[in-house]
Amino acid sequence: MSFYPKEMMHVNILIPKSRKDDVVRELKENGTLELMEVQEKGIDNARLSDTYPRTSEAIRMIEEALDTFRLVEKKGRGFKERVEVGDENAASILKKFEKKRHVLEKIISIRRELKSLKEREAKLDETEKIASLLQSLNVDPKSLTGHPFVSVFIGKMGERDHENFAKEVSPHSKKIFIKTMPLEGGNLMLAAAVPNSLEESVSKTLNMNGFEPLKIPGEISGYKITDARNNLLAEFESIKVKEARLLGSVAKFLKEKKEFLVLLEMLRIEKNTDESGMLFGTTERTVMISGWTPARNLKSLQGVVKKSAGNACSISSRPPQKGETPPTLVRNAGPAGGLEILTKSYGLPDYNELDPTKIITLTFPIIFGMMFGDVGHGVLLMIAGFAMSRKIPGDGANRLGKTLIVCGVAATFFGFLYGSAFGLTHENTPGMFEPLWMEPLAEEGRNITSFIRFSITIAVVVLSLGCILNIINQGRHSLKHAFFHPWGVLGLWVLLAGANLFYTHGIDFIPLTIMGILGDSAALGTVFNGLVLLVVPLALVPLGEIFVEKKPLVVGLYSIMEVGQTFLVNTISYVRIVIIAVVHGALLLIVIRIMEMVTSGLTGLAGSVLATVIFIGGNVVVFGMEAMIALVQTTRLHYYEFVSKFYRGSGRSFAPFRAERSYTVRRINGNKLKHI
């Protein structure tokens, strides 16, 4: 079992130009080589083929046609059966495309016509709104223009702005006709008719009060309002008829969709092949291909190349050299595969970095289970995870579902340890099973003290593990860094020395230390040995910052406080395990108490039904809320307190050169080819 990403090998492949197409075709079907740009003296990089522009245009046209189909097809319609295709080059596939070009052009033409109708419909809709406002004001569009002695203003403004406007034009109120209509958001639609002699001053006053003039569209100007709205309605109906006719035409082409999907996939594969080819190196007679492949796939890759090149090839391979950054390939099986979602959310491990997934697979469920311990809720979480992993499509949902299953198992386990099932415990429900360990809320809260002490132990174990993993990571590069790193040997020493003081004296070591500093020799003698174990590594931490990391003296001195404070805060942070576990149990207890209180005076069927409704409803609410809180807090403890001690997550994902197929399958072994 490896805790590191899959081993990678750098591969150089040299083949004759005459064999290039055969080799590249097999490489993309094999899908185990991530291509790199060849940078060798005397070797030029390849260029895009002459068919590339036509391939790109064909892809664009098919994508536009398929987009059009979405307007008429039913949701969920798909094609499960794949079409068997042969090894065709771009020119051959483009010939098939050309036979379908006239159909695609027709579909695209319909799409553009539909788009034009939609744009016209949107414009008419805006015009209809304006016409409706004018009708509400009892104003005809025709009456707004063509007056030799009167100017008309129509638009919207705020209610307060209108009050100011009305005050400012009040001296001319007998000469000005104003009509308003309220709009949403504290605005008004205003229509004003003024003599031409007042046009300039009224216009200026309106503008200073935030007036937004309304432009009367040409579709209604010059008409009476009733005629204008009738014209709009007639055009709306005409557009709907045209849209229905065009959509009917699109529906007739739906039978061609599968063929278009197959063509599109083949063209995309060829386009990707063409683009990837620019990474190749070429001479007059040869082609060089370079890249990374997983070490376990090296032999099969060599076999593919030799077979497709007719053994006319040269293949060299080597492990990564210092300074190179190979891609990262992480493959975790079983429960660890689900918890990869946490690692990848933080960041992929660097090629030379330890992958924390397998370790998180152990620590994450345990900490979550301690927070969410309940047999009933644990089983519900397992069921939810199972349903998510099986019923919801997508790799992300599958991984999250597996994570919930593992967490559900841990929550069920701790539920037995706590003696709790849906909040029912031996203490509050006679006949329930007794806890195998302790019930956090039992004995008037006295268990909480020992629970907190246990959470501190968990903190020390997990943080120590983080330091140990960091020592391993740092030790692969530099023993000095492994020793002096704040989360290395010295950091681990500080953590364990602090834990020793806590377990020996409890929190009393703090006042004992203060009393010793102030001159109490007896108090100092009590904690002296423990303090020495703590002070020595803290005193050495600045040396690493100054002499190993080459940082200034002030940074080195500050690191003493930083290391001590960080470990203290990180350790205390794990007390949230107790807090969330206690809150989880307390909320479930509240549900039971409410159920008892509400149904105390009821008997028979009514009391049983009401009790059941309250019990189930309360558990559903607590389950949903507490499961989310526990997941978030467990993730936080891992990201900030644990994983950050040893993990950077700066790797890049392995991206092999591969023919992505969803609708096609490559014909092999002489099987009959299905025509597309």
Side-chain angles (χ1 to χ4, degrees):
M1 182 173 66
S2 174
F3 287 90
Y4 288 89
K6 300 300 180 184
E7 183 185 356
M8 288 286 168
M9 296 292 286
H10 184 275
V11 180
N12 279 328
I13 302 169
L14 188 66
I15 55 174
K17 264 190 177 178
S18 59
R19 290 287 189 171
K20 174 194 166 187
D21 291 343
D22 295 331
V23 172
V24 171
R25 184 183 301 118
E26 296 303 324
L27 284 176
K28 72 183 178 186
E29 297 297 339
N30 181 259
T32 60
L33 181 69
E34 180 181 297
L35 298 174
M36 291 175 57
E37 184 178 1
V38 174
Q39 294 179 330
E40 298 282 344
K41 291 183 179 180
I43 296 181
D44 298 324
N45 286 113
R47 297 179 180 179
L48 293 172
S49 70
D50 295 337
T51 60
Y52 184 81
R54 292 175 58 205
T55 302
S56 299
E57 182 201 11
I59 289 172
R60 180 193 58 76
M61 289 183 68
I62 296 175
E63 286 176 341
E64 195 169 350
L66 291 172
D67 258 354
T68 308
F69 286 147
R70 294 196 183 102
L71 300 174
V72 294
E73 66 182 339
K74 295 179 181 178
K75 289 184 178 180
R77 180 175 175 177
F79 304 100
K80 294 183 179 179
E81 183 184 357
R82 294 189 180 192
V83 174
E84 202 174 59
V85 296
D87 292 329
E88 301 181 62
N89 57 26
S92 173
I93 300 169
L94 285 169
K95 283 183 181 179
K96 293 182 178 182
F97 163 77
E98 289 298 334
K99 291 178 181 178
K100 291 295 179 182
R101 179 186 280 271
H102 67 287
V103 178
L104 291 164
E105 288 175 343
K106 178 64 176 174
I107 295 170
I108 292 169
S109 174
I110 293 172
R111 175 184 175 83
R112 290 173 182 172
E113 194 171 348
L114 282 167
K115 183 181 178 182
S116 177
L117 288 173
K118 284 293 182 186
E119 290 172 352
R120 178 61 181 162
E121 193 173 8
K123 186 176 180 181
L124 290 176
D125 189 53
E126 289 298 317
T127 303
E128 165 61 21
K129 290 177 182 177
I130 294 171
S132 177
L133 287 171
L134 292 176
Q135 190 169 34
S136 300
L137 289 168
N138 197 22
V139 174
D140 284 322
K142 188 176 182 179
S143 67
L144 298 176
T145 58
H147 300 290
F149 306 111
V150 178
S151 297
V152 179
F153 299 92
I154 185 164
K156 69 177 182 178
M157 65 193 313
E159 290 181 358
R160 290 185 179 180
D161 292 328
H162 172 257
E163 291 174 6
N164 294 334
F165 168 71
K167 288 179 183 178
E168 292 179 31
V169 299
S170 58
H172 309 290
S173 58
K174 293 182 179 180
K175 298 180 180 180
I176 301 175
F177 170 79
I178 299 176
K179 192 166 186 178
T180 61
M181 183 187 74
L183 300 173
E184 293 180 357
N187 291 321
L188 295 172
M189 179 62 70
L190 176 143
V194 301
N196 286 343
S197 58
L198 296 174
E199 178 187 4
E200 186 176 347
S201 63
V202 170
S203 175
K204 185 181 294 184
T205 305
L206 283 168
N207 291 333
M208 291 185 67
N209 285 283
F211 178 71
E212 298 178 24
L214 187 67
K215 185 177 179 181
I216 306 302
E219 290 85 353
I220 61 174
S221 63
Y223 291 94
K224 289 186 176 181
I225 190 62
T226 52
D227 293 336
R229 298 196 73 182
N230 286 336
N231 291 341
L232 291 174
L233 181 61
E235 190 170 355
F236 268 126
E237 291 176 351
S238 174
I239 287 174
K240 292 297 182 185
V241 170
K242 290 178 182 178
E243 284 181 340
R245 176 176 55 79
L246 291 170
L247 290 173
S249 299
V250 172
K252 292 177 182 178
F253 291 115
L254 266 176
K255 61 181 181 295
E256 310 255 14
K257 181 178 178 179
K258 186 173 184 178
E259 191 170 347
F260 291 153
L261 286 169
V262 171
L263 270 174
L264 178 62
E265 186 165 277
M266 295 172 72
L267 287 164
R268 281 175 173 169
I269 290 171
E270 291 305 315
K271 183 184 178 189
N272 180 46
T273 302
D274 215 346
E275 291 169 343
S276 300
M278 296 179 68
L279 301 173
F280 302 164
T282 64
T283 65
E284 187 177 348
R285 296 182 180 180
T286 61
V287 174
M288 177 176 280
I289 303 172
S290 290
W292 295 101
T293 190
R296 64 181 181 179
N297 296 120
L298 180 59
K299 285 187 178 179
S300 69
L301 179 67
Q302 290 171 335
V304 165
V305 174
K306 287 178 180 178
K307 184 177 179 181
S308 56
N311 285 323
C313 61
S314 170
I315 307 172
S316 62
S317 61
R318 59 168 176 77
Q321 296 178 344
K322 188 175 181 180
E324 288 185 322
T325 54
T328 297
L329 177 62
V330 176
R331 288 284 185 271
N332 289 291
L339 283 154
E340 263 184 26
I341 191 172
L342 293 171
T343 304
K344 290 182 176 178
S345 295
Y346 193 95
L348 274 176
D350 185 81
Y351 178 71
N352 292 306
E353 189 174 24
L354 186 144
D355 173 20
T357 305
K358 292 183 177 67
I359 298 158
I360 290 175
T361 303
L362 177 65
T363 60
F364 193 93
I366 289 175
I367 293 175
F368 176 88
M370 290 179 68
M371 292 182 183
F372 197 66
D374 184 276
V375 174
H377 286 189
V379 172
L380 287 178
L381 196 62
M382 282 190 279
I383 294 170
F386 183 81
M388 179 176 288
S389 63
R390 293 297 181 92
K391 301 297 183 182
I392 300 178
D395 184 62
N398 181 266
R399 291 183 186 278
L400 180 57
K402 289 180 179 178
T403 300
L404 294 181
I405 292 172
V406 174
C407 289
V409 171
T412 304
F413 173 74
F414 277 96
F416 282 111
L417 294 183
Y418 297 161
S420 174
F422 295 110
L424 303 174
T425 66
H426 182 73
E427 188 169 279
N428 63 42
T429 307
M432 283 296 293
F433 59 90
E434 293 190 16
L436 299 177
W437 178 29
M438 68 168 180
E439 184 184 338
L441 293 177
E443 299 183 23
E444 299 179 351
R446 286 191 294 274
N447 283 342
I448 293 178
T449 302
S450 59
F451 199 3
I452 290 174
R453 193 177 182 88
F454 183 74
S455 71
I456 297 297
T457 302
I458 292 292
V460 172
V461 171
V462 174
L463 293 174
S464 297
L465 179 59
C467 289
I468 291 169
L469 295 174
N470 186 54
I471 292 167
I472 294 171
N473 268 342
Q474 296 291 334
R476 299 185 78 190
H477 306 287
S478 167
L479 293 178
K480 287 190 299 184
H481 281 82
F483 183 83
F484 284 104
H485 195 278
W487 322 129
V489 172
L490 288 182
L492 179 60
W493 188 350
V494 169
L495 174 64
L496 295 178
N500 173 63
L501 278 170
F502 173 76
Y503 286 116
T504 304
H505 305 286
I507 60 172
D508 291 339
F509 83 88
I510 298 175
L512 286 171
T513 302
I514 295 172
M515 290 166 61
I517 294 172
L518 294 176
D520 188 335
S521 58
L524 183 61
T526 306
V527 294
F528 182 76
N529 292 335
L531 283 176
V532 170
L533 284 174
L534 179 63
V535 170
V536 169
L538 283 174
L540 292 174
V541 166
L543 299 180
E545 296 290 338
I546 297 168
F547 297 109
V548 178
E549 299 292 342
K550 308 299 182 184
K551 293 182 179 178
L553 175 63
V554 65
V555 175
L557 295 175
Y558 173 76
S559 65
I560 297 176
M561 183 177 67
E562 182 186 22
V563 171
Q565 176 184 299
T566 300
F567 276 123
L568 178 62
V569 171
N570 287 171
T571 303
I572 294 173
S573 188
Y574 276 78
V575 176
R576 73 185 66 226
I577 294 174
V578 180
I579 296 170
I580 295 172
V582 169
V583 169
H584 185 205
L587 288 174
L588 290 174
L589 182 60
I590 289 171
V591 171
I592 294 170
R593 294 289 179 257
I594 291 173
M595 179 185 70
E596 292 171 348
M597 182 177 63
V598 172
T599 59
S600 60
L602 297 175
T603 58
L605 181 62
S608 299
V609 171
L610 184 57
T612 302
V613 170
I614 293 172
F615 182 75
I616 293 175
N619 265 273
V620 168
V621 172
V622 174
F623 170 80
M625 181 173 63
E626 285 293 301
M628 181 62 70
I629 291 172
L631 280 170
V632 169
Q633 292 302 327
T634 305
T635 302
R636 186 202 177 282
L637 284 175
H638 278 77
Y639 280 177
Y640 294 102
E641 274 72 33
F642 176 48
V643 174
S644 62
K645 298 290 183 294
F646 64 92
Y647 186 63
R648 291 176 302 168
S650 58
R652 62 180 182 85
S653 180
F654 175 61
F657 175 48
R658 175 182 294 150
E660 300 293 343
R661 298 188 185 275
S662 299
Y663 304 102
T664 64
V665 62
R666 188 184 182 208
R667 178 175 60 87
I668 55 174
N669 297 329
N671 290 336
K672 185 178 179 180
L673 176 65
K674 293 181 182 179
H675 296 288
I676 65 166

